[in-house]
Amino acid sequence: METLRRRRGETGAVLAILVVLSGALAILVAAVFVLFQANVSSYRYRAGRVRAQLAAESGVSLALHTLAQGDRAPSGEPYSMPGDSAQWIALPSGDRVWVVIDPSVVNGSPYSVGTVEIRALGLAGEITREVSVRAAPDYPSRYALLTDMGIPPGILGDGARLEGPVHSNGIVDIASTSPDSAGDPWVSSISTTSRGGFRFCDAGTGFSPHPDGSRVWVRPYPSHRQGRPTWDPFADPVDFGRLSDLFADLRTAAADSGEVIWGARRLLIDGDRLLVSSEQGVVSDTVDLATTDLVYVASFSDVLVKTAGALTSPLTIVANGQIGLMGNIHCSTGEFTGAPLGLVSLSGIFIPADPDSHAGADWPPPWQIETDGHLTVEAFLCAPDGAIRAEDPTAGGRSLSFNVIGGLAVGRMGALSAGTHGYDMTIVYDGRLTSVHPPAFPSLEQWKIYSWVPDPDHDGHEIDEDLF
């Protein structure tokens, strides 16, 4: 009997243990299930956020592509890109995006580059992500220095500071003699193409702003080391041939709403007028710059230009032949006044030799050449098919400064100096060229992104409101 009770007790204990283990197992299974569900939900949420982010980025790309197809930047009120009745655009992935293009309030200016803000709201299931992008069409005048055939040694060296964008389709030579970054070249952004590349004085071709073993540190190094948009070894090339054709087409625009000048040899900018001379000392024409902002010089001979009085209104001068900088060129200051000035040659730009340094004959004042001293040109200089050079690279045995306050775009860099003599060119970028361009300047048919903000805070406003 005692044995039977003992066996029943053992059986009860086993059953109790089984009940406890079953309960524990049930709790464990429930916990695993809950954890699994949480992981699935977390995965779905993360996947939804990624898909919504990709949808928003696709919307930005779609907007940039659409804007590049237009012949001008939009202006006016914000507008949504066409979609369904709720403005949603269906994507091949099955997700959707709402894209709003908000033109800048200054786009109504005839010289505005046309900045816009693109706001794209991606939708994946019930999850949304937004991207806000500031972008503008690319103009040649946006660059501090733009070349086709390369940037030779001597420009980006110790002490060089270019506070605007720099691009070349060809090889960009960069040098420094200091062992550290002190005094090394400084550029706000710089790019080249696979055709060109960055070539360092001590390390050859390199793809970073400080190649291994090099003493060159392109500044600001912390920004450049992150790559685009400030450092780009494989940027898209700029089509200089097409750019030259676009400037040549401005002859038609000048005939319609500007001024076409035939056979001019020297131009004198004097405040709100342009004095034209086709023979020594004789004013053959006067152009009212208060009503004309585009002048086309139809002559294959050289035309020399300088200012007698600071330019007081925006102006672009395009010449078939070479443009000679025969003296200082100044513009008055102020928003949309005096600048921007664009000097464009379809052949080349040069600094003529001063007859006073070569015992040569010159025209009487105020038409005389004045290049035997330091030279300052406040303009954007452009010669897409030519070079910038000095007629006398020794400057008559002098060492002179040539200051370009604006920017420079040329097919190639010519000789401005020889040894210790000649013109030492310095480019001081005019920051206004980021928002305005010289009259009638063509765009490069591509858009540049200036900022990229994920999920911005609109402070309670909707994305289709005017948020500029």
Side-chain angles (χ1 to χ4, degrees), residues 214-408:
S214 175
R215 60 176 175 268
V216 182
W217 301 72
V218 182
R219 300 181 297 158
Y221 176 73
S223 296
H224 292 320
R225 68 178 297 190
Q226 298 179 44
R228 296 180 181 180
T230 63
W231 177 272
D232 189 355
F234 303 108
D236 293 331
V238 173
D239 190 342
F240 275 74
R242 183 181 176 281
L243 186 59
S244 180
D245 292 340
L246 290 173
F247 278 119
D249 291 342
L250 291 184
R251 177 170 176 173
T252 301
D256 292 339
S257 58
E259 190 80 23
V260 177
I261 299 173
W262 297 88
R265 294 178 61 194
R266 296 197 181 184
L267 305 176
L268 199 62
I269 299 172
D270 187 14
D272 62 354
R273 61 178 185 162
L274 178 67
L275 306 179
V276 183
S277 180
S278 55
E279 58 181 295
Q280 187 172 155
V282 177
V283 177
S284 59
D285 195 8
T286 300
V287 178
D288 182 6
L289 300 180
T291 59
T292 302
D293 61 8
L294 176 61
V295 175
Y296 194 100
V297 182
S299 173
F300 285 96
S301 62
D302 298 342
V303 56
L304 310 186
V305 61
K306 68 177 181 179
T307 54
L311 176 67
T312 57
S313 58
L315 174 66
T316 292
I317 298 175
V318 183
N320 281 342
Q322 294 190 105
I323 289 181
L325 308 173
M326 65 172 177
N328 292 323
I329 298 176
H330 295 294
C331 299
S332 63
T333 58
E335 188 176 12
F336 303 129
T337 60
L341 167 63
L343 297 177
V344 182
S345 169
L346 302 181
S347 298
I349 297 173
F350 72 104
I351 302 173
D354 195 314
D356 292 343
S357 302
H358 296 78
D362 200 357
W363 289 22
W367 301 94
Q368 77 276 23
I369 296 172
E370 299 175 296
T371 57
D372 57 350
H374 301 306
L375 194 62
T376 297
V377 175
E378 299 173 3
F380 187 86
L381 305 177
C382 185
D385 272 344
I388 185 166
R389 62 181 181 85
E391 188 174 43
D392 176 15
T394 69
R398 295 176 174 84
S399 179
L400 302 174
S401 297
F402 172 38
N403 302 309
V404 177
I405 302 177
L408 174 66

Side-chain angles (χ1 to χ4, degrees), residues 4 10 52 55 57 100 102 108 111-112 120 144 243 257 326 414-415 441 450:
L4 180 60
E10 291 175 354
E57 294 177 1
V100 173
D102 188 356
Y111 314 116
S112 169
L243 186 59
S257 58
M326 65 172 177
F441 257 49
Y450 295 97

